[in-house]
Amino acid sequence: MSHGPDIARIGALIGDPARAAMLTALMSGKALTASELARVAGVGAPTVSAHLVKLAEGGLIAAEKQGRHRYVRLAGAEVAEALEALLGLAQSRGHLPFRPGPDDQAMRRARVCYDHLAGEMGIALYRALHAGGALALAPDGVALTDRGHGLLDGLGLDMPALMRARRPACRTCLDWSERTHHLAGGAGAALLTRFQELGWLRPRQTSRALRVTLEGERELPRLFARLGAGGQGSPGP
Amino acid sequence: MSHGPDIARIGALIGDPARAAMLTALMSGKALTASELARVAGVGAPTVSAHLVKLAEGGLIAAEKQGRHRYVRLAGAEVAEALEALLGLAQSRGHLPFRPGPDDQAMRRARVCYDHLAGEMGIALYRALHAGGALALAPDGVALTDRGHGLLDGLGLDMPALMRARRPACRTCLDWSERTHHLAGGAGAALLTRFQELGWLRPRQTSRALRVTLEGERELPRLFARLGAGGQGSPGP
DNA sequence: TCCATACTTCGTTCCCGGGCGAAGCATTGC
DNA sequence: GCAATGCTTCGCCCGGGAACGAAGTATGGA
């Protein structure tokens, strides 16, 4: 007999096309209203309402009533991480986009993964931080080095707040389009926010894909080069 | 509209209780026959046959006919990793074991995660390797250091074979019971095999849980202490 | 006050898909 | 060869659950 957590319940929640579309939309990190979710899922209001009850009971989403709207978001970074892992598996198994379109390319370039940067840009950021000696292996994952602390501080991140937070500053997340890791956790989230503040990346209305502004096109590679340059190189295998 | 890989298909595959039980059983890494899977899933032969077709079409399992038996295994480490991530999510969401039992404790102690060691023992191994300076951050994940190479060689692992293999030597996998990372990849698999050869761990018939032999009880902590001792300590935060 | 909007609840329909029994094929062993 | 085993295919049944329309309940604005 098999043991372990009941994977079937979560699988069933994700296994419905409407719910899957809703969850995928929520990977943008934005809180969406029930009617917005109805639109992305292509179903009516009563249906989406029933789905929201099930997703909430399953612990995958958190809902918050605000006026006559009901704002829905993913229940946490854990959920987003697992969904990203599933997206990766689906990708590798050839379960292609339900609607392959022109902004597939934009998605691969740069997108939001719950609250941090993913896609080519996300990978480039992670690689630059690693090359610059900003990251080190910790017993429970990845951690910021002193050097990394200084680098992020120099970028204008609020480091005291980051350290104070209950949430771990660094996590890694498996990027489904690039098939390698990018930076998640508090630092990942703060970096994405900062890049948006600086006007280098701009969110889109319709999808998780991020628009890289002209300024971002110029400044981001420059930043990555600068970050990576200071490093003592990666230790040999 | 949402984009990205079609997560619903895989979710639906995992979402059926019988299929979920089958997949969980296959996390033992063993190749099981269709009738064995029927037993763990609690369904009849025709039903399991239909399930196997769907799982194979979805790319989650690989089947191989051998005589009049049909041996089924997970389609690869990628699948196992994603399933482990889902197990973690289910665990954290309070979707408890369908049959909480006495060997739940054994599962948490030491178990097979597809082909490598997981549970408390898996975490202890990872921590010891990290403390001993055997692992370093690489641009695409975790890698063995020169020191780590030497340590594993000293344990009797076939290092040339490990390096020759197409498969990455080191991967990390999110342990669902400990909520932190353990070592996967070629090295993780080779270590588990070695521990079994040495008679420190013994597989069980019925579950993924591993039996820690008396010798293992004595030697494994000793080994972990020895591995961890040589290290230069972890870099500060 | 009254209507419009956003969402939920209820009741109904309907279809997909899991399950099994019976029969059909292979493979093995006597 | 014949029976036994392991698995698949076919046909059928049945239940769960996804979807919507209509009505009900909150909130906000005119």
Side-chain angles (χ1 to χ4, degrees):
Chain A
M1 292 293 151
S2 287
H3 293 270
D6 183 6
I7 214 181
R9 274 194 60 187
I10 291 196
L13 285 176
I14 301 173
D16 176 77
R19 283 193 295 259
M22 292 161 64
L23 291 169
T24 306
L26 289 170
M27 282 295 285
S28 71
K30 284 188 292 206
L32 301 176
T33 66
S35 13
E36 287 172 314
L37 288 171
R39 211 166 32 72
V40 303
V43 295
T47 306
V48 102
S49 189
H51 283 320
L52 289 180
V53 170
K54 297 193 177 181
L55 288 172
E57 278 174 352
L60 297 190
I61 61 166
E64 191 182 344
K65 215 166 174 175
Q66 217 173 90
R68 56 180 163 181
H69 292 280
R70 170 162 218 157
Y71 284 95
V72 177
R73 54 174 70 252
L74 292 185
E78 259 180 328
V79 178
E81 251 176 73
L83 286 178
E84 190 78 1
L86 263 200
L87 281 165
L89 184 62
Q91 157 90 352
S92 79
R93 270 22 197 178
H95 300 170
L96 300 172
F98 10 95
R99 211 193 69 179
D103 61 2
D104 253 28
Q105 210 173 346
M107 287 277 282
R108 287 173 199 283
R109 187 81 200 289
R111 66 176 181 278
V112 181
C113 176
Y114 183 53
D115 63 357
H116 53 269
L117 183 58
E120 291 165 20
M121 284 294 182
I123 301 303
L125 172 62
Y126 182 81
R127 295 239 163 107
L129 287 170
H130 171 256
L135 303 175
L137 211 55
D140 55 348
V142 175
L144 272 184
T145 59
D146 288 342
R147 180 180 188 80
H149 194 94
L151 286 172
L152 297 192
D153 192 55
L155 275 174
L157 299 202
D158 182 356
M159 297 311 286
L162 204 59
M163 294 295 109
R164 222 182 303 123
R166 203 166 34 81
R167 175 179 190 191
C170 291
R171 298 273 296 171
T172 59
C173 186
L174 195 53
D175 194 293
W176 63 258
S177 61
E178 299 289 307
R179 310 300 303 147
T180 177
H181 291 84
H182 58 241
L183 183 70
L191 278 166
L192 173 57
T193 306
R194 186 73 183 127
F195 291 159
Q196 290 181 324
E197 279 172 12
L198 288 167
W200 295 353
L201 299 174
R202 220 189 293 282
R204 300 180 187 230
Q205 296 291 344
T206 68
S207 89
R208 296 167 62 190
L210 288 161
R211 180 186 311 284
V212 184
T213 65
L214 279 178
E215 221 180 327
E217 210 72 75
R218 189 181 63 236
E219 296 297 335
L220 281 168
R222 193 179 293 180
L223 170 67
F224 295 158
R226 189 152 54 82
L227 286 177
Q232 61 270 36
S234 59
Chain B
M1 293 290 151
S2 288
H3 293 271
D6 184 5
I7 214 181
R9 275 194 59 187
I10 290 196
L13 286 176
I14 301 174
D16 176 77
R19 284 194 294 258
M22 292 161 64
L23 290 170
T24 306
L26 289 170
M27 282 296 285
S28 71
K30 285 188 293 207
L32 301 175
T33 66
S35 13
E36 286 172 315
L37 288 171
R39 210 163 32 73
V40 302
V43 294
T47 305
V48 102
S49 189
H51 283 320
L52 289 180
V53 170
K54 297 190 178 182
L55 288 171
E57 279 174 351
L60 298 189
I61 61 166
E64 192 182 344
K65 216 167 174 176
Q66 217 174 90
R68 57 181 162 180
H69 292 279
R70 169 160 220 159
Y71 283 96
V72 178
R73 53 174 71 250
L74 291 185
E78 258 181 327
V79 178
E81 251 174 75
L83 287 178
E84 191 78 3
L86 264 200
L87 282 166
L89 185 62
Q91 157 89 353
S92 79
R93 268 27 198 172
H95 300 170
L96 300 172
F98 11 96
R99 211 194 67 178
D103 61 2
D104 253 28
Q105 210 174 345
M107 287 276 282
R108 287 173 198 285
R109 187 81 200 290
R111 67 177 180 277
V112 181
C113 175
Y114 184 51
D115 63 357
H116 53 269
L117 182 58
E120 291 165 18
M121 284 294 183
I123 301 302
L125 171 62
Y126 182 81
R127 295 238 164 107
L129 287 170
H130 171 257
L135 303 174
L137 212 55
D140 55 347
V142 175
L144 271 183
T145 58
D146 288 342
R147 179 178 190 81
H149 195 94
L151 285 173
L152 297 192
D153 192 54
L155 276 175
L157 300 202
D158 183 356
M159 297 311 286
L162 205 57
M163 296 294 111
R164 222 181 304 122
R166 200 165 37 80
R167 175 180 190 190
C170 291
R171 297 275 294 171
T172 59
C173 187
L174 195 52
D175 194 294
W176 62 257
S177 61
E178 300 289 307
R179 309 301 302 149
T180 178
H181 291 85
H182 58 240
L183 183 70
L191 277 166
L192 173 56
T193 306
R194 186 73 183 127
F195 292 158
Q196 291 180 323
E197 279 172 12
L198 289 168
W200 295 353
L201 299 174
R202 219 187 293 284
R204 301 180 187 229
Q205 296 289 345
T206 67
S207 90
R208 298 166 63 190
L210 288 161
R211 180 188 311 284
V212 184
T213 64
L214 279 178
E215 222 179 327
E217 211 71 75
R218 188 180 62 235
E219 296 297 335
L220 281 168
R222 193 178 294 180
L223 170 67
F224 295 158
R226 190 153 53 84
L227 287 177
Q232 60 269 38
S234 59

